[in-house]
Amino acid sequence: MEQRFFWFVIGVTLTLCDVIAEEPFLLKIGVVSTWKHIFTDLLQRNELSLPCSLLNITTPKPKSQYDKMLKVKDFLTNNQIDVILGPYDDATGIVAEKLKIPYICTTAARRNLKYTFQILPPLEDFSQAIFDMTKSYGWDKVSLFYDDTRGVYIMEQLLTNHDLMVKSWHVEANPNPKVIEKQVRDHLVRMRQAFVQKSIIFCSKEHTEIILDQARSLAMLSQPSEWFFYDPGDQLVPVFKNFPDVFVNFTVFGLMEFDSRNEITTVEDARRLNISLAADSLKLVNVTLPKFSGVPRNITATTIAEELRKIRISGYTGDIEFGPDGRRYNYTIKLSEIEGLDSLQVGVWKSHFNTSASKIQFEEVKRLNRNYSFPLKGRTVSVVMILEKPFTMRKRDYKQRLGNDRFEGFAVDLITEVAKMLDFNFEIYLVHDGKFGTKMENGEWNGMIGELLSGNATMLVAPLSINSQREEAVDFTKPFMTRYISVLMRVPQSEQSYFEFLNPLHQNVWYCTFGAFVMVSVILYFLERFGIPQNKEYPAISFRESFWFVFGSLLQGNTDASPSTLPGRILTSAWWFFALILISSYTANLAAFLTVKKINTPIKSVTDLASQTKIKYGTVKSSGIMFFFKNTNIEHFAKMWAQMSEVDPSSMVDDTEEGFKKVKQGNYAFFWDTTVNKYKTIEDCQFMEIGPHFDPKGFGIGVPPGAIYREDLSMAILRLSDTGMLHQLENKWWPPSRSCPDLSKPSADETSELSIDSVAGVFFILLGGIALAGIVCGFEHFAKVVKKAAKTEKNVNGKNSEIKERESFL
């Protein structure tokens, strides 16, 4: 009986074993909840070699991290999880470490976890690759753009290279894209001011696109600038496709080949990396299962972990191999250069591992031979200008016009020709504060230079002289014009006189002539009185007739009486010769005085200003000319600066228009560029230019510091000069001939008709003669009447006395 029961138990046991043996094996995979849909989609397309079950690891409303760990532990043990897949979760990782369940995580994990296997390489490996690259290329400056804490780790790694200057720029998140754009633009402008041409972008896809867009607007996407991007999952492909015309060095660090396509990943966003990492996780599990020699009962969490440490496969993210600490080794980070829509893998960074130590190796291959392209080609750039005749002026009907058509001038024509040659468009805007550009006390620049440095303008085209201080702030092209400094003054007003006809002879000559007239008249009278008359029939010359005869002969007139004695005739002949020469000289000189314009300026040269105080002088405040006077060591210029800045500060003006107004008011001399002064003298004949010219400097197109398109603009200017276009533009705005006469050089060719003011004195003398003759005539008539009345009275009295005598006689 006992023997039968024994064999019964044995049979039942064997039956149960057979039943258990025949039960199919089911691999239980725990998945972090946020990634379950990714693994589900992948398993639907590619099943594992053994049946599996995906279980979503859930921890409903944990009260604390410890409570979460307890719930994760209960879930893993109750469901007998064999392996965990998905992004790293700290609570899950710690519990898995205690339960010795392999955790194949797709994101960065904490270190020193033996049962946690990281498919995504740790951040320190990428930072080491970037560090090795900077040393390999021998960089001395680099900019780092980052938007999270990972960028701080990269920056700390780069700072370990003491030969490298690192400029870091934090892109802060903001719901308003305009705020981010302004923030990024400010970073880029300061980066350009620091002359940093190498940049590492460690930002999200959205921030990276903003950075590149703003860099393109600042013309920073061209050689020799270089841009490097952290893109392990190839999700920046859509961003780069928005810049097909950019031929600058874009280098991408990634686990996957740039713009790769396979049966697993076809999307162009962040899911590409996640899907590839999830696919590699399943591939690791699938490759590990056959290692158990077809005996499913040997498959446990511990054995899977052991096999994972031994395995080496080629996955979608490259070679996969784990070390004892669960970190991934022997993989490659690919360096791909992008040019337009083309890309080429130019280098790899390999992480090697052996039992003794880790070894870093950077391998470089031949880089792309890049064709340089003008960075502004086909683009519309902002050009800042300042109102300054004849460089930039508003048209008369500018209010009815739009855009660049509102302006005209030499600078407008120049940038138009340059834009045609280099194939770009431009928009002109006027500097807001109306200043050329001066460094203020706080170190900032105002005016057009400030517009360049703030990134508002791509270039400036204006009569801005190149000096050392400005050259330190911005870059300039080859000069398109050379300017000097000259003095602009008002043409002195000629003094009009009613007795202009007296000017041909000096007043002493007039006095001597009058004295000679009186002397000759008196001598002639005595010669005629005591001399022997040659002709008795000639009437004798009285004292009055003597004066009348001499005066008449001086004016080529005639009288009834004439000298009859030989001495009188000799004296008369000498007087006639004297009158002939005097009248001829007077006539010739009078014609010159009344028809040829002359100018008598109190200031003949620039140095004359320094030796007088009547005429004030000055220039524009904070201009290049002001700094010339301020910094000069030339004695008379230093003296003039002391006069302008200390003795009479009111002589300095805020802009050129104010200077021109003060010149027009008189007694003011304005120091300014010869180009502008010359145009002013052509435009308004009331102005004149005083030389000699001094302090030659060039006018160049200003560009932001480090702008690589400066050389292209310089070559365009040289070609315009070689073809004669610059000379044509100069003749257009500064014509060789001017309508105003050159009053500083008297010439018979520069004559003018006589005005009434010039000869009014003659009419006054005529009127005076008429009036005098009338008065004399009146006196004579009055005397005649009185004399006649007296004679009549005398006759009457005589008759009366005669009558009385007769009566008395009778």
Side-chain angles (χ1 to χ4, degrees):
M1 186 68 179
E2 292 178 357
Q3 188 176 5
R4 289 181 178 179
F5 178 76
F6 171 77
W7 288 109
F8 174 76
V9 173
I10 293 299
V12 172
T13 302
L14 292 174
T15 302
L16 291 174
C17 290
D18 293 339
V19 172
I20 293 174
E22 292 174 0
E23 182 180 351
F25 174 78
L26 184 64
L27 182 67
K28 296 180 180 180
I29 302 175
V31 180
V32 178
S33 58
T34 56
W35 279 47
K36 184 177 180 181
H37 65 284
I38 298 178
F39 287 103
T40 301
D41 293 341
L42 289 173
L43 287 175
Q44 289 177 355
R45 286 184 284 176
N46 297 288
E47 296 182 353
L48 297 180
S49 58
L50 291 178
C52 66
S53 174
L54 293 181
L55 300 176
N56 191 11
I57 300 176
T58 57
T59 55
K61 298 181 180 179
K63 298 179 181 179
S64 62
Q65 184 72 358
Y66 180 73
D67 183 49
K68 182 178 180 180
M69 293 169 60
L70 292 177
K71 290 181 178 180
V72 171
K73 176 179 177 297
D74 292 340
F75 179 86
L76 296 180
T77 55
N78 293 339
N79 292 280
Q80 299 181 353
I81 299 299
D82 297 307
V83 63
I84 304 173
L85 305 179
Y88 179 76
D89 177 75
D90 200 38
T92 304
I94 295 173
V95 173
E97 187 73 15
K98 294 297 182 181
L99 298 178
K100 298 183 178 181
I101 300 175
Y103 185 179
I104 304 177
C105 62
T106 56
T107 58
R110 72 161 60 190
R111 306 191 64 172
N112 301 321
L113 297 178
K114 296 182 179 180
Y115 289 88
T116 298
F117 301 89
Q118 302 180 47
I119 294 184
L120 181 65
L123 181 62
E124 50 263 37
D125 284 359
F126 277 96
S127 64
Q128 185 64 45
I130 295 173
F131 179 83
D132 289 348
M133 178 203 64
T134 60
K135 295 196 69 174
S136 175
Y137 292 154
W139 292 354
D140 58 353
K141 295 180 182 179
V142 67
S143 280
L144 174 65
F145 291 85
Y146 65 96
D147 55 7
D148 56 23
T149 56
R150 297 177 300 170
V152 178
Y153 185 87
I154 299 291
M155 180 177 61
E156 292 175 349
Q157 179 71 18
L158 293 174
L159 288 175
T160 59
N161 182 1
H162 301 296
D163 296 329
L164 180 66
M165 184 183 75
V166 181
K167 292 285 186 179
S168 58
W169 316 102
H170 183 208
V171 182
E172 298 179 0
N174 193 290
N176 188 352
K178 297 295 183 181
V179 175
I180 300 178
E181 291 176 1
K182 177 65 168 58
Q183 176 190 168
V184 168
R185 192 176 187 87
D186 292 342
H187 292 337
L188 291 171
V189 169
R190 287 196 292 270
M191 166 185 154
R192 185 165 59 183
Q193 292 174 355
F195 297 97
V196 182
Q197 298 174 335
K198 309 293 189 296
S199 302
I200 298 173
I201 310 300
F202 212 90
C203 298
S204 64
K205 172 186 172 183
E206 293 74 20
H207 288 168
T208 299
E209 188 166 10
I210 291 175
I211 291 172
L212 293 181
D213 187 62
Q214 293 300 316
R216 177 162 61 180
S217 70
L218 294 174
M220 297 174 68
L221 295 185
S222 54
Q223 293 180 347
S225 298
E226 295 187 27
W227 299 79
F228 294 80
F229 303 87
Y230 169 75
D231 184 24
D234 208 17
Q235 64 262 35
L236 294 182
V237 172
V239 175
F240 296 135
K241 287 186 177 180
N242 293 331
F243 301 88
D245 56 332
V246 175
F247 291 88
V248 72
N249 184 11
F250 283 173
T251 302
V252 178
F253 290 81
L255 283 174
M256 307 165 62
E257 292 184 3
F258 180 78
D259 200 14
S260 59
R261 291 290 187 273
N262 52 52
E263 69 277 10
I264 297 298
T265 58
T266 57
V267 294
E268 293 184 348
D269 53 29
R271 292 176 298 164
R272 173 179 292 184
L273 177 62
N274 295 343
I275 294 173
S276 299
L277 292 172
D280 283 346
S281 301
L282 292 175
K283 189 173 184 180
L284 282 171
V285 175
N286 199 35
V287 173
T288 302
L289 295 179
K291 301 291 184 179
F292 300 102
S293 304
V295 183
R297 67 171 60 95
N298 295 333
I299 301 176
T300 63
T302 303
T303 56
I304 292 176
E306 292 175 354
E307 291 299 327
L308 286 174
R309 293 189 183 95
K310 301 176 184 177
I311 199 169
R312 181 176 183 180
I313 64 171
S314 177
Y316 296 106
T317 60
D319 295 335
I320 302 175
E321 184 176 359
F322 300 106
D325 57 355
R327 293 180 61 184
R328 182 174 174 180
Y329 291 96
N330 291 332
Y331 67 91
T332 59
I333 295 178
K334 300 174 179 61
L335 277 69
S336 300
E337 286 193 358
I338 305 165
E339 184 177 290
L341 298 177
D342 299 326
S343 62
L344 175 67
Q345 182 174 314
V346 296
V348 292
W349 182 90
K350 289 186 177 181
S351 171
H352 296 279
F353 175 81
N354 53 43
T355 57
S356 59
S358 298
K359 182 180 179 183
I360 303 299
Q361 179 182 356
F362 181 79
E363 298 179 359
E364 184 181 2
V365 299
K366 185 177 180 181
R367 306 181 69 176
L368 289 174
N369 292 324
R370 302 190 175 277
N371 297 321
Y372 174 75
S373 177
F374 180 57
L376 305 181
K377 184 176 182 180
R379 291 182 47 213
T380 300
V381 301
S382 297
V383 178
V384 62
M385 294 185 178
I386 189 171
L387 289 178
E388 185 77 292
K389 296 180 180 181
F391 290 90
T392 305
M393 303 174 288
R394 288 192 179 103
K395 294 181 178 179
R396 293 183 177 180
D397 57 344
Y398 73 94
K399 294 183 178 179
Q400 302 175 4
R401 299 174 182 265
L402 298 174
N404 299 339
D405 194 39
R406 297 171 296 165
F407 305 102
E408 63 179 351
F410 177 85
V412 179
D413 292 347
L414 174 65
I415 192 60
T416 300
E417 295 297 329
V418 172
K420 288 180 182 178
M421 187 173 295
L422 297 179
D423 190 20
F424 69 91
N425 301 316
F426 61 92
E427 293 179 353
I428 297 174
Y429 77 94
L430 299 177
V431 59
H432 305 299
D433 58 6
K435 297 184 181 297
F436 287 87
T438 306
K439 192 174 184 179
M440 298 179 290
E441 294 181 357
N442 59 0
E444 299 292 329
W445 285 79
N446 59 15
M448 292 184 291
I449 293 182
E451 292 294 305
L452 278 184
L453 295 178
S454 63
N456 296 330
T458 306
M459 64 185 75
L460 69 85
V461 184
L464 185 69
S465 58
I466 304 172
N467 57 35
S468 58
Q469 188 181 37
R470 289 170 176 166
E471 188 72 43
E472 290 176 357
V474 298
D475 291 341
F476 289 93
T477 63
K478 294 287 192 299
F480 58 80
M481 182 179 290
T482 300
R483 74 99 171 106
Y484 296 82
I485 301 176
S486 63
V487 181
L488 189 69
M489 294 185 64
R490 178 180 176 138
V491 176
Q493 297 293 326
S494 59
E495 296 181 359
Q496 296 290 342
S497 174
Y498 293 145
F499 298 94
E500 188 78 17
F501 65 91
L502 297 177
N503 290 335
L505 298 180
H506 193 270
Q507 58 182 0
N508 293 336
V509 177
W510 286 112
Y511 295 151
C512 292
T513 302
F514 180 75
F517 160 70
V518 173
M519 182 180 66
V520 170
S521 298
V522 173
I523 294 175
L524 179 63
Y525 169 73
F526 284 106
L527 290 177
E528 287 295 311
R529 184 175 181 84
F530 297 105
I532 301 174
Q534 298 294 320
N535 191 343
K536 301 293 184 179
E537 297 180 356
Y538 285 5
I541 296 180
S542 64
F543 188 76
R544 186 181 63 178
E545 288 292 331
S546 174
F547 277 88
W548 189 250
F549 173 78
V550 173
F551 183 72
S553 62
L554 179 65
L555 298 181
Q556 299 181 357
N558 194 10
T559 59
D560 293 338
S562 61
S564 59
T565 64
L566 181 60
R569 290 179 178 179
I570 294 174
L571 178 62
T572 300
S573 300
W575 175 252
W576 283 348
F577 181 78
F578 168 81
L580 174 65
I581 300 301
L582 182 65
I583 292 173
S584 299
S585 301
Y586 172 82
T587 304
N589 215 19
L590 178 65
F593 261 80
L594 297 183
T595 58
V596 178
K597 279 194 174 183
K598 297 181 294 181
I599 188 169
N600 184 21
T601 60
I603 303 300
K604 303 295 183 181
S605 65
V606 175
T607 55
D608 292 343
L609 285 173
S611 58
Q612 58 83 46
T613 56
K614 181 180 179 181
I615 299 177
K616 296 182 179 181
Y617 45 86
T619 186
V620 176
K621 298 175 183 176
S622 301
S623 63
I625 296 177
M626 188 202 79
F627 284 106
F628 164 78
F629 282 100
K630 183 177 180 180
N631 300 323
T632 185
N633 293 323
I634 303 175
E635 182 179 357
H636 59 273
F637 288 142
K639 180 180 178 182
M640 297 173 77
W641 169 245
Q643 177 71 22
M644 288 187 286
S645 61
E646 299 175 6
V647 179
D648 190 10
S650 62
S651 63
M652 304 295 288
V653 296
D654 293 326
D655 52 44
T656 55
E657 286 302 320
E658 183 182 352
F660 296 148
K661 289 180 181 178
K662 296 189 74 169
V663 170
K664 211 163 190 177
Q665 293 171 359
N667 285 333
Y668 183 78
F670 184 53
F671 286 97
W672 201 240
D673 297 331
T674 52
T675 53
V676 180
N677 287 348
K678 180 181 178 181
Y679 180 82
K680 201 65 181 177
T681 60
I682 296 174
E683 182 186 43
D684 192 340
C685 294
Q686 296 186 57
F687 293 96
M688 67 176 183
E689 193 178 11
I690 302 296
H693 302 163
F694 59 96
D695 188 36
K697 279 188 173 60
F699 289 153
I701 297 177
V703 297
I708 61 162
Y709 51 86
R710 177 186 64 171
E711 294 301 324
D712 299 275
L713 296 176
S714 294
M715 290 303 299
I717 291 173
L718 292 177
R719 285 195 290 269
L720 290 176
S721 177
D722 292 341
T723 57
M725 179 56 69
L726 281 182
H727 183 67
Q728 294 181 23
L729 294 180
E730 290 181 9
N731 288 340
K732 176 182 177 181
W733 296 105
W734 293 274
S737 60
R738 55 186 297 234
S739 58
C740 303
D742 189 358
L743 301 180
S744 61
K745 297 180 180 179
S747 171
D749 296 333
E750 297 179 351
T751 61
S752 62
E753 59 186 7
L754 294 177
S755 64
I756 188 62
D757 293 336
S758 300
V759 294
V762 177
F763 290 92
F764 290 159
I765 291 179
L766 178 60
L767 293 175
I770 294 173
L772 181 62
I775 293 173
V776 172
C777 180
F779 273 111
E780 287 185 346
H781 178 70
F782 178 77
K784 182 179 179 181
V785 170
V786 171
K787 185 177 181 181
K788 184 177 181 181
K791 186 177 181 181
T792 303
E793 184 179 359
K794 183 178 180 181
N795 292 335
V796 171
N797 292 333
K799 290 181 178 180
N800 291 335
S801 61
E802 184 177 352
I803 293 174
K804 287 180 179 181
E805 288 179 357
R806 288 177 181 179
E807 288 179 352
S808 62
F809 179 75
L810 293 175

